Amino acid sequence: MDPVIRLEEITRVFDTGDVQVHALRGVSLQVSPGDCLAIMGASGSGKSTLMNILGCLDRPSSGSYHLVGEDVARLSRNQLAQIRNRTIGFVFQNFNLLARTSALENVELPLLYRGVSARDRRRLAASALERVGLADRMHHGPSQLSGGQQQRVAIARALVGSPSVILADEPTGNLDSKTSVEIMQFFRGLVDDTGVTLVLVTHEPDIAAWADRMVEMKDGLIVRDRLRDQGTSPSEVTA
Amino acid sequence: MTTVQTIWVACRALLRNKMRSFLTTLGIVIGVAAVISMSAIGAGARARVSSMFESMGANILIVFSGSSRQGGMRGGQGSQPTLTWADLDRIREDIPDVRYAAPMMGIGAQVMAEGQNWQTQVRGTTADYFGIRNWPAASGEIFGDVDEDAGAKVAVVGQTVVNNLFGEDYNPVGQLIRINNIPFSIIGVAAKKGNNAWGSDEDDVVFVPSSTFRAKLQGGLQQFIPGTIMVGAVSQEATGSAKTAIEKLLRERHRIRPGNEDDFTVRNMSEMASAQQEGARTMTSLLAGIALVSLIVGGIGIMNIMLVSVTERTREIGLRMALGAKPAAILIQFVTEAVVLSVIGGLLGVAAGIGAARYLVTTFDWPLLIEPMFSVIAVGFSGIVGVVFGLYPAWKASRLDPIQALRFE
Ligand SMILES: Nc1ncnc2c1ncn2[C@@H]1O[C@H](COP(=O)(O)OP(=O)(O)OP(=O)(O)O)[C@@H](O)[C@H]1O
Ligand SMILES: [Mg+2]
């Protein structure tokens, strides 16, 4: 199968005036549809930088990036916005929900930039919230929800537009271990049921253990890329 | 997004910060309220002035002694009287466009009746005056040619004089009134007129025949009229030709050579009305200018708050971009917020302006004239203010880098 994500020799250099920071120094990676991939690595190893490039929020300094067969480097600002809107679903560490805005409206947000009618937006957002188990919290604002619930709203928002790729940068970073397991269970089920591609960044091995494939980064390079041992199941790791 | 959706999203964003939104829009509210109330009051004042001049008679001409260029427009006082009684007769008899012509003389005098005193204006004129002013007697009658020829000591009194000498609801016809201690008998009460265009009480007056006035109250001057001539043209359209004819006649009679200045001035009531109106209009445009400036200040207020808002909501903007908002969508969102703010400000301003105009108008006793078009323009203009002053903050928002915006603390 053609890969959803194909990175070739991606570098990213930040110019901070006096020093140049080489955040990525030649990353090549292929991700197939339905993959569930965890990126690990020390702080500052370039994980978030890579995720931003994957999410078309940032452009690489060199190298090529093909997303669903399309060369991202050739796309305009507006086309990138459209890719973010339709092909990618983001989940952030700090949830990034709009304050004083109901869960439903937060989930509707990506559909708003797609010209979906108000009624369809409402319907799709409600069913996405139902899928994350928040049918009874639709009209609550972020301040009325627990961290785990907020992250589930954010996941519903990432799902609502049926993207091909979900990018989650430390989705459980702000959650306790029990809630983290719930979130990972949900992601796992999602990948298995829908065949969506999931790329997540985490520091915790027991979270990474939920993935099928683990990529380890160090100083802007991928130093290890392996499939999960057939023997160990995630439940055993967390137990 | 459809326009309705965009506006809805803008409203939601503004409602998240109600107090601030309200305070931001206050500048526009005040600006528009000022525009609306000023224009309504100005229009009311103009209507009032023109209706008062109309009530005086639109076909009135006044002939003064002295040249207008010598500042003798008010005639009589100061400048040498040049109009004669014969001039008056000729104007009245010889000019076809002239229907009425009456002398107008006046002195301030002490009047007395039933032991009461009152200081008032005593005017010497003829029956024509009442025709020109379309001013009937409320009771009794106006003096006529017989009284004029006989120099009869008769008087027509105004309502204010009646009130002060005899008390309200008293009919003084047949009673005696002493003017500078000379007894006159009251033959009529002039119908109530109210205040004139200059705000003085038209009913505070006593009229006596011009011949009696000359003989008993203000003598001297022989052939000259110690006052003005008031002329009633046959119609309003005829005032122009009547004026030309009077000027021609008087130049001939006064033997003024071509090229020399007139020793009299003919004024048209509608000219005087339009001079007054011009004044009111200048005042209105001045106030409108001030109001406009305050609208612009209101716009700058909106820009200021929008800039603050863009900074505060940097993360929101980054998030929206990450979720697929194109730069244009962000730009439109913030411009729409500014426009919604300013248009709501404009609408509130129209309401407040109409309210203020209502209140002021009842105090001044003017008609309330609100031009719906003006309100539409004011709201439209505040919308434009919103676009102009919202554009820069919105442009700044749309240029944000999504990653940096998302990281913004
Ligand atoms: N906008 C930027 N300007 C300059 N340097 C940057 C910028 N963004 C990231 N960097 C640098 O790039 C390197 C990689 O950063 P990155 O955020 O990708 O690390 P990370 O692996 O996500 O770390 P963490 O686990 O702490 O989130 C770091 O040295 C960081 O300082
Ligand atoms: Mg990171």
Side-chain angles (χ1 to χ4, degrees):
Chain A
M1 228 184 312
D2 285 341
V4 209
I5 291 169
R6 202 173 79 222
L7 298 178
E8 272 159 36
E9 289 300 318
I10 292 286
T11 70
R12 181 67 171 99
V13 184
F14 291 109
D15 223 340
T16 57
D18 21 290
V19 267
Q20 287 199 331
V21 181
H22 293 263
L24 295 177
R25 300 191 296 162
V27 171
S28 298
L29 181 72
Q30 296 206 354
V31 183
S32 309
D35 259 3
C36 181
L37 177 118
I39 301 176
M40 297 190 69
S43 188
S45 55
K47 306 181 295 294
S48 295
T49 307
L50 181 61
M51 289 296 267
N52 288 338
I53 287 171
L54 289 177
C56 300
L57 288 167
D58 196 7
R59 289 176 192 269
S61 305
S62 70
S64 78
Y65 172 25
H66 286 81
L67 178 66
V68 210
E70 190 134 31
D71 185 0
V72 169
R74 286 223 285 256
L75 301 178
S76 69
R77 249 171 101 100
N78 281 342
Q79 285 170 317
L80 289 177
Q82 190 159 332
I83 294 248
R84 291 196 294 268
N85 186 242
R86 289 167 187 261
T87 314
I88 295 168
F90 284 101
V91 178
F92 305 92
Q93 177 174 357
N94 51 6
F95 323 136
N96 270 331
L97 299 177
L98 288 189
R100 274 168 286 180
T101 305
S102 72
L104 198 65
E105 281 177 277
N106 266 293
V107 176
E108 282 182 21
L109 218 51
L111 303 176
L112 203 61
Y113 297 111
R114 226 189 253 199
V116 177
S117 76
R119 187 194 289 172
D120 288 346
R121 273 201 324 260
R122 191 128 298 214
R123 185 173 55 75
L124 290 168
S127 84
L129 279 168
E130 233 163 84
R131 265 169 83 184
V132 299
L134 286 177
D136 53 342
R137 293 281 195 280
M138 287 191 199
H139 301 290
H140 292 203
S143 60
Q144 297 165 300
L145 298 171
S146 73
Q149 287 170 331
Q150 289 185 54
Q151 193 59 303
R152 281 195 276 166
V153 173
I155 292 169
R157 183 180 63 194
L159 292 180
V160 74
S162 322
S164 337
V165 182
I166 290 180
L167 300 175
D169 194 348
E170 303 192 42
T172 60
N174 285 0
L175 303 175
D176 63 31
S177 54
K178 181 168 166 287
T179 319
S180 300
V181 169
E182 282 170 19
I183 295 290
M184 289 317 296
Q185 269 171 342
F186 181 79
F187 272 138
R188 190 67 247 184
L190 190 71
V191 172
D192 294 343
D193 296 348
T194 64
V196 72
T197 309
L198 175 70
V199 178
L200 67 93
V201 170
T202 181
H203 281 287
E204 295 157 73
D206 46 351
I207 297 294
W210 286 86
D212 299 320
R213 183 177 161 197
M214 243 183 287
V215 166
E216 207 176 309
M217 291 189 69
K218 195 180 171 193
D219 295 334
L221 286 171
I222 292 179
V223 292
R224 202 145 71 124
D225 185 346
R226 63 184 172 99
L227 294 176
R228 174 159 55 94
D229 309 338
Q230 294 303 311
T232 42
S233 81
S235 49
E236 282 169 46
V237 176
T238 45
Chain B
M1 274 200 285
T2 66
T3 317
V4 179
Q5 282 172 6
T6 313
I7 291 171
W8 176 239
V9 169
C11 289
R12 298 286 319 203
L14 294 172
L15 284 174
R16 262 181 251 148
N17 232 324
K18 292 190 195 69
M19 192 61 189
R20 179 202 281 186
S21 302
F22 174 70
L23 290 176
T24 306
T25 196
L26 209 53
I28 299 283
V29 174
I30 292 169
V32 170
V35 171
I36 295 296
S37 55
M38 286 311 147
S39 65
I41 290 167
R46 283 204 299 281
R48 172 83 185 194
V49 167
S50 69
S51 84
M52 280 190 297
F53 275 103
E54 223 137 80
S55 80
M56 284 189 77
N59 40 10
I60 295 179
L61 295 160
I62 298 178
V63 188
F64 299 93
S65 295
S67 160
S68 59
R69 270 181 260 163
Q70 290 166 354
M73 175 192 136
R74 295 270 161 197
Q77 315 110 325
S79 65
Q80 184 68 32
T82 55
L83 302 169
T84 66
W85 296 98
D87 290 340
L88 170 63
D89 287 341
R90 294 279 66 78
I91 289 170
R92 190 166 186 265
E93 313 283 316
D94 296 352
I95 299 175
D97 283 331
V98 169
R99 175 129 161 248
Y100 299 111
M104 245 344 247
M105 305 168 289
I107 51 164
Q110 188 80 9
V111 295
M112 248 191 312
E114 314 233 294
Q116 299 289 324
N117 264 309
W118 186 246
Q119 181 70 32
T120 188
Q121 270 285 316
V122 177
R123 302 222 153 131
T125 188
T126 60
D128 266 19
Y129 175 79
F130 297 90
I132 296 169
R133 297 292 314 274
N134 191 17
W135 198 350
S139 59
E141 55 185 10
I142 304 292
F143 41 75
D145 290 344
V146 183
D147 302 301
E148 180 66 35
D149 294 344
K153 290 193 277 179
V154 293
V156 173
V157 294
Q159 193 60 51
T160 305
V161 174
V162 175
N163 293 349
N164 283 287
L165 292 181
F166 301 96
E168 277 170 51
D169 301 326
Y170 182 86
N171 187 349
V173 173
Q175 301 288 329
L176 277 189
I177 182 172
R178 292 179 164 273
I179 303 171
N180 287 351
N181 236 346
I182 302 158
F184 283 74
S185 78
I186 297 173
I187 57 164
V189 176
K192 193 168 166 48
K193 271 272 194 206
N195 288 357
N196 71 9
W198 295 275
S200 62
D201 180 6
E202 293 240 65
D203 301 314
D204 190 3
V205 67
V206 174
F207 294 102
V208 298
S210 68
S211 56
T212 322
F213 187 90
R214 271 198 294 167
K216 303 289 181 194
L217 298 173
Q218 194 181 38
L221 293 176
Q222 269 97 66
Q223 77 267 36
F224 292 109
I225 302 172
T228 59
I229 298 172
M230 194 180 256
V231 176
V234 289
S235 69
Q236 193 178 343
E237 293 72 45
T239 49
S241 52
K243 185 180 172 189
T244 320
I246 292 167
E247 282 166 350
K248 182 160 175 284
L249 179 108
L250 288 178
R251 282 182 74 87
E252 273 168 18
R253 290 185 53 81
H254 295 187
R255 297 179 213 286
I256 296 167
R257 292 209 196 97
N260 283 6
E261 218 164 78
D262 292 349
D263 61 355
F264 60 90
T265 307
V266 185
R267 286 268 168 185
N268 196 322
M269 209 32 111
S270 60
E271 272 172 26
M272 289 156 78
S274 63
Q276 283 259 335
Q277 294 230 21
E278 198 49 55
R281 198 168 293 131
T282 313
M283 199 64 191
T284 312
S285 35
L286 201 75
L287 292 168
I290 293 169
L292 206 79
V293 168
S294 70
L295 256 182
I296 288 170
V297 172
I300 293 170
I302 286 189
M303 174 146 88
N304 184 24
I305 294 297
M306 289 308 292
L307 281 171
V308 171
S309 174
V310 165
T311 308
E312 261 186 11
R313 288 156 67 193
T314 300
R315 281 173 66 98
E316 175 191 329
I317 295 162
L319 174 73
R320 287 179 185 271
M321 286 178 159
L323 296 181
K326 293 174 182 167
I330 300 291
L331 183 93
I332 289 168
Q333 181 189 339
F334 280 87
V335 168
T336 308
E337 279 184 31
V339 171
V340 167
L341 261 185
S342 59
V343 167
I344 287 175
L347 292 171
L348 288 176
V350 167
I354 290 174
R358 271 231 166 110
Y359 173 76
L360 289 172
V361 151
T362 42
T363 340
F364 293 151
D365 190 28
W366 280 343
L368 181 67
L369 283 181
I370 289 160
E371 286 237 33
M373 206 48 218
F374 233 86
S375 306
V376 173
I377 290 171
V379 173
F381 190 79
S382 35
I384 291 169
V385 165
V387 172
V388 169
F389 290 97
L391 212 51
Y392 174 65
W395 178 81
K396 262 191 89 172
S398 74
R399 302 304 301 172
L400 284 174
D401 176 64
I403 305 171
Q404 274 164 20
L406 270 172
R407 284 226 187 107
F408 185 83
E409 293 301 330

